[in-house]
Structure formats: structure tokens, C-alpha cells
Amino acid sequence: IGFLISEEQKMPMIKDIQTFLATGQSGILGQRIEITGLREDGPFPLEINMAETRMETEVLFTLAVQDIMLRKQSEAERLKISKLESVSLIGSGIAHDYNNIMTSVLGYISFAQMDVEQGSAVYDRLSEAEQAARGARQLTSQLLSYSKNNTSGVQSIDISTLAEDAAAFVLHKTQTTYSTEGSNDLWK
């Protein structure tokens, strides 16, 4: 095993064996211990299990060594999936809250439109705000469908149109100009 592990990791094992031989007490015998193994392509996780066997006046030590790289990768993948599920759950809650807020915004816009003359500049501005709020609700609905792995409610959207609409809304009545460019074959 000396070639599989560093001197730094080997020394505590040797000392434990010496302590066991002198006192009968051991901290590692019968225990599964994870250490870092060494090989040409770099370090890798190992699990060792050391046992002792007495034969008349001799004590024999056996050492089972197992490469646990695949197990560690699997554990890391499960942890990653768990974290993603948690983020999805949090995102879903935020999207629901956002959707509720947008419903209120749409309601207030409708009330405000009742108080102004149709065709006026204020009415037109409220109509643009209503359109933007409906777009935000639609996007939220798609995010909720996606977070639930329900692709039936997910629709393809033209990102160029979305960017144009967002820029037009934000920059309305400013002196700022904008332009957008896109590639139709981006996903081909």
C-alpha cells in the first residue's frame, strides 16, 4: 500500500499498528477509513479497512483497499441534483409570488385606465404597461411549467422580439436609441 498513499497518510497507520501491538488498542482496525490515493494520473479517493488475525504467536494484518472514485462521483451527483431541486423549489415559490404581484399590477392598471380618457397619452402609457405586465406573467408561467418539468406549457419565444419589446418599453420617451441584432440559425 505504500505506493498508493503518501508518507503523511501512511505514518498514522504504522503508528496505530505499533500501538496495537504494544497495547492491544487500535483506532483504525475494523474501521473504514477514507484517504487519498496516489497514481500517475493524479490523486483519487480510497477506502481502506484493516483487520488483524492472530496465528499462534504471530499477528497478521490484512488490508482491503478499494477505489471509491465512482461512489464519490455518484454522491456528488446526487448532492448536485438535490441542490438543483432545492433551487427549483425556491424559484417556483418566487415565480408564484411574482405572478401574484403582476396580477395586482394588472388590476391597478385596469383601474387607472377607467379614470383616464381612452386615446390619451396616459391611457396609451397604461396600455403599454399592461402589455409589459402580461408579457412578464406569460414568462413567469413558462418558468413555472419548466420548474415542474411540465413542458406542455412551455412555448418557444423569439428572443429578438422580447429584447425589442423590453428596450422599447424601458427607453420610451427618452433620447436614447437602441438596436438589436440576432442570428436566425443560433440553435442549428
Side-chain angles (χ1 to χ4, degrees):
I1 187 145
F3 63 94
L4 287 177
I5 63 173
S6 68
E7 287 296 319
E8 184 179 300
Q9 291 180 324
K10 187 175 16 172
M11 289 312 296
M13 287 186 223
I14 291 171
K15 286 183 180 178
D16 191 79
I17 290 170
Q18 290 169 341
T19 301
F20 176 76
L21 292 173
T23 66
Q25 301 294 314
S26 171
I28 64 170
L29 288 177
Q31 303 293 317
R32 291 182 180 206
I33 300 171
E34 291 184 13
I35 61 171
T36 301
L38 305 173
R39 59 181 170 210
E40 286 182 9
D41 62 341
F44 67 105
L46 278 175
E47 181 178 270
I48 62 168
N49 188 351
M50 192 179 322
E52 54 91 20
T53 304
R54 295 188 183 269
M55 299 188 76
E56 297 177 21
T57 60
E58 293 183 347
V59 178
L60 302 175
F61 294 94
T62 56
L63 186 64
V65 180
Q66 181 178 7
D67 181 343
I68 56 172
M69 171 107 45
L70 291 177
R71 184 174 81 196
K72 288 293 189 181
Q73 288 171 340
S74 178
E75 288 171 0
E77 189 64 28
R78 279 194 301 272
L79 180 61
K80 182 179 175 182
I81 289 169
S82 177
K83 287 179 180 180
L84 287 173
E85 287 172 349
S86 295
V87 168
S88 177
L89 184 62
I90 291 168
S92 178
I94 292 169
H96 275 291
D97 290 347
Y98 183 77
N99 199 36
N100 291 341
I101 291 168
M102 293 313 297
T103 300
S104 296
V105 167
L106 284 167
Y108 285 117
I109 290 171
S110 293
F111 288 144
Q113 284 176 322
M114 288 183 219
D115 293 340
V116 297
E117 187 176 320
Q118 191 171 2
S120 69
V122 172
Y123 187 89
D124 291 344
R125 190 60 57 229
L126 289 170
S127 294
E128 289 175 14
E130 180 181 26
Q131 182 181 356
R134 288 189 191 283
R137 263 184 55 189
Q138 182 183 7
L139 184 60
T140 302
S141 176
Q142 289 184 2
L143 287 170
L144 286 170
S145 291
Y146 183 75
S147 73
K148 295 176 184 173
N149 290 328
N150 176 7
T151 55
S152 65
V154 176
Q155 304 169 13
S156 295
I157 61 168
D158 181 2
I159 193 72
S160 297
T161 304
L162 180 64
E164 282 281 333
D165 292 346
F169 179 73
V170 170
L171 299 174
H172 185 73
K173 289 198 176 187
T174 68
Q175 300 299 320
T176 306
T177 60
Y178 65 92
S179 67
T180 60
E181 289 183 26
S183 174
N184 291 336
D185 62 349
L186 182 63
W187 299 107
K188 292 183 181 179

